[in-house]
Amino acid sequence: MKIGWVYPHSRFPSADFQLFDALAIVTYELTRRLARTNDVTVYARQGKGDLPSETREGVEFRRFPQTLDRLIWSLNVVDRFGLTPPSRPLRMTDLYYRVFAERVARDAAKRRLDVIHIYGTTNFIPVIRRHNPGAVIVLHSHDHALVDFDHELTAARLADASLILGCSETLTRAVQTTFPNLAGRTHALPNGVDE
C-alpha cells in the first residue's frame, strides 16, 4: 500500500535528525513502522539546509519550502485585531498553507497514493480530494479545532474524509456529538509510547 502522511508544521531535518515537535515524533514513529510493509511518504516543511527528498528507515521525506505560505500566515494579525469572526480565523480559510497543500496533492496524485493521512488541517481535504479522487483520506485531529470553529465549514470539508481520527476518546466524542452524521467514521487513535 502507498501511504502519504501530511503535516505542514513539522520539520524532519536532514543533517541532525533530532525531533522535538510532538507530532513530528508521533509521525516518525508511526511511519517508520508502517514502512516495514508499505511504501510511505511523509510531507513536511523544508528548513534551511534540508534536502528536498531523502529516505530514512524506509520512509521517504518530501520537503517543500513554505516561503509564500508563511507570508500569507503573517496576515493572521487580522485575527488578533478582531477583523475575522472568532469561528473563522485565518487558519480556517482556504489560504492556510494553500501552496503546500497544492504541492502535496499533486505529488500524491503523481505517486498514486492509496491513503493520505492529514493532521488537523481540514482545508487540505478538498484540495487533496480534487487531485486524488480515489484515495482514502484520513483527517487526524490533535486539538479541538474541529469543534471549536465554524461547524458548517468543517462539516463540508469532513464530508470528503474517509476516516476521522481523534487523539483521545474525549476529543472523538466531541466530534461525534458535533457531527452526528460523521460519527460512524470517527474513531479514537491515542498516541502511544514504546514499552
Side-chain angles (χ1 to χ4, degrees):
M1 184 177 298
K2 295 181 178 180
I3 303 170
W5 215 271
V6 184
Y7 189 57
H9 307 302
S10 287
R11 180 171 173 238
F12 300 88
S14 289
D16 180 11
F17 203 72
Q18 291 186 22
L19 304 176
F20 301 102
D21 169 340
L23 285 180
I25 293 167
V26 169
T27 297
Y28 185 63
E29 293 300 328
L30 290 173
T31 57
R32 72 186 187 93
R33 286 167 171 81
L34 286 169
R36 293 174 188 157
T37 56
N38 299 280
D39 180 359
V40 180
T41 304
V42 170
Y43 294 97
R45 73 179 165 97
Q46 183 178 18
K48 185 177 179 179
D50 290 340
L51 298 171
S53 178
E54 72 176 302
T55 301
R56 288 180 183 266
E57 292 192 67
V59 178
E60 182 177 3
F61 291 88
R62 305 269 300 147
R63 300 176 183 98
F64 298 124
Q66 296 181 347
T67 308
L68 186 54
D69 287 318
R70 287 181 179 270
L71 181 64
I72 293 168
W73 178 239
S74 70
L75 298 175
N76 75 343
V77 69
V78 297
D79 295 338
R80 285 185 249 144
F81 287 115
L83 301 175
T84 54
S87 65
R88 279 205 187 192
L90 185 65
R91 73 180 266 198
M92 287 298 292
T93 70
D94 291 339
L95 291 174
Y96 187 69
Y97 286 85
R98 179 56 180 247
V99 176
F100 181 85
E102 284 287 342
R103 287 178 173 162
V104 167
R106 289 185 183 134
D107 193 75
K110 188 167 56 172
R111 292 168 181 275
R112 296 183 180 164
L113 297 182
D114 301 304
V115 177
I116 303 169
H117 180 279
I118 305 165
Y119 278 127
T121 46
T122 59
N123 62 306
F124 282 25
I125 298 171
V127 176
I128 289 174
R129 175 60 72 210
R130 186 173 57 253
H131 291 280
N132 301 271
V136 171
I137 296 179
V138 178
L139 190 281
H140 195 164
S141 182
H142 280 78
D143 64 20
H144 286 268
L146 296 181
V147 296
D148 286 349
F149 298 119
D150 188 310
H151 292 172
E152 187 176 322
L153 176 62
T154 301
R157 291 172 174 170
L158 291 177
D160 275 336
S162 311
L163 177 65
I164 302 155
L165 298 174
C167 68
S168 70
E169 290 291 343
T170 302
L171 176 57
T172 302
R173 278 192 300 277
V175 173
Q176 290 170 330
T177 301
T178 305
F179 307 104
N181 60 321
L182 302 173
R185 55 183 143 139
T186 304
H187 304 278
L189 179 62
N191 295 330
V193 295
D194 286 330
E195 290 187 34

